[in-house]
Amino acid sequence: RAKATHPYVRYITKRDERVRASHPEAGGLVIARDIAHARRITGLLEEEGDRVHLVHSKDPEAASRLAAFQAGEADWLVSIDMCAEGFDAPRLRVVAYLTTVVTRTRFVQGITRAVRVDGERAALETVPRHPSYVFAPADPLLMQAARTWSLSEPYVLRSRASGEVDADPACSGRA
């Protein structure tokens, strides 16, 4: 595999590789801020050797790319506001929230893309024991949204010393 020049992209792709060790069909979602940003991230992920679908509202093929991702034809989906309410891809296990939209609703929609369990996995583990990961800037509003969401849902979020938000290993559900 080639190494991406951006350490953040390298980090999320390494996390995605670890997730795939136990869930080979898992996928990742990057929520980008605009089309230019999404194209740069797509290029970096492709440099890592990943199959990537980019979707945005100006793309006439967006619906077919979304369906192809849901069917497992790409490792990553890079999106600009196309994977919110109504989008379902239970194979998502890694989400990188890199947009400048800083609202609780949009952020929680991003979180919930990663914590869904598909029917096949639910049959194997009724209580999810394999974590999903959400990466986001340490914006105070996003951190507050993550904390309040974790209080109302069966997932516990904590900050690591490195600033990464990860699941508490003591709880049965993870985000």
Side-chain angles (χ1 to χ4, degrees):
R1 261 188 181 225
K3 295 292 181 198
T5 56
H6 195 283
Y8 190 79
V9 171
R10 189 171 28 248
Y11 185 77
I12 65 171
T13 58
K14 283 189 179 296
R15 179 62 68 174
D16 188 56
E17 287 173 10
R18 280 192 242 155
V19 166
R20 286 176 203 219
S22 63
H23 185 188
E25 60 281 350
L29 169 66
V30 176
I31 303 169
R33 69 177 173 254
D34 57 39
I35 294 172
H37 182 231
R39 285 185 178 135
R40 285 193 304 274
I41 291 170
T42 297
L44 290 170
L45 290 168
E46 289 172 342
E47 283 178 19
E48 286 288 306
D50 289 311
R51 299 171 302 150
V52 184
H53 284 324
L54 167 61
V55 294
H56 54 80
S57 60
K58 295 181 181 177
D59 177 8
E61 301 296 318
S64 63
R65 288 186 219 287
L66 285 169
F69 176 81
Q70 289 169 310
E73 295 178 20
D75 304 314
W76 286 92
L77 182 64
V78 179
S79 167
I80 304 101
D81 279 343
M82 299 242 356
C83 298
E85 202 170 315
F87 175 74
D88 190 31
R91 62 187 283 261
L92 282 173
R93 299 282 303 285
V94 177
V95 172
Y97 190 85
L98 305 180
T99 181
T100 53
V101 177
V102 184
T103 66
R104 183 184 190 286
T105 301
R106 193 60 60 88
F107 182 60
V108 168
Q109 285 175 346
I111 290 172
T112 59
R113 297 311 105 195
V115 298
R116 294 179 180 189
V117 177
D118 64 25
E120 185 178 312
R121 291 205 49 91
L124 297 173
E125 55 180 46
T126 53
V127 175
R129 299 196 191 300
H130 296 287
S132 292
Y133 298 91
V134 177
F135 298 92
D139 180 280
L141 294 172
L142 296 180
M143 296 302 290
Q144 181 60 31
R147 284 186 189 99
T148 59
W149 180 78
S150 70
L151 293 174
S152 65
E153 301 296 326
Y155 302 94
V156 178
L157 301 175
R158 63 178 168 78
S159 294
R160 285 190 172 173
S162 66
E164 174 188 346
V165 175
D166 200 353
D168 181 343
C171 63
S172 60
R174 296 183 181 184

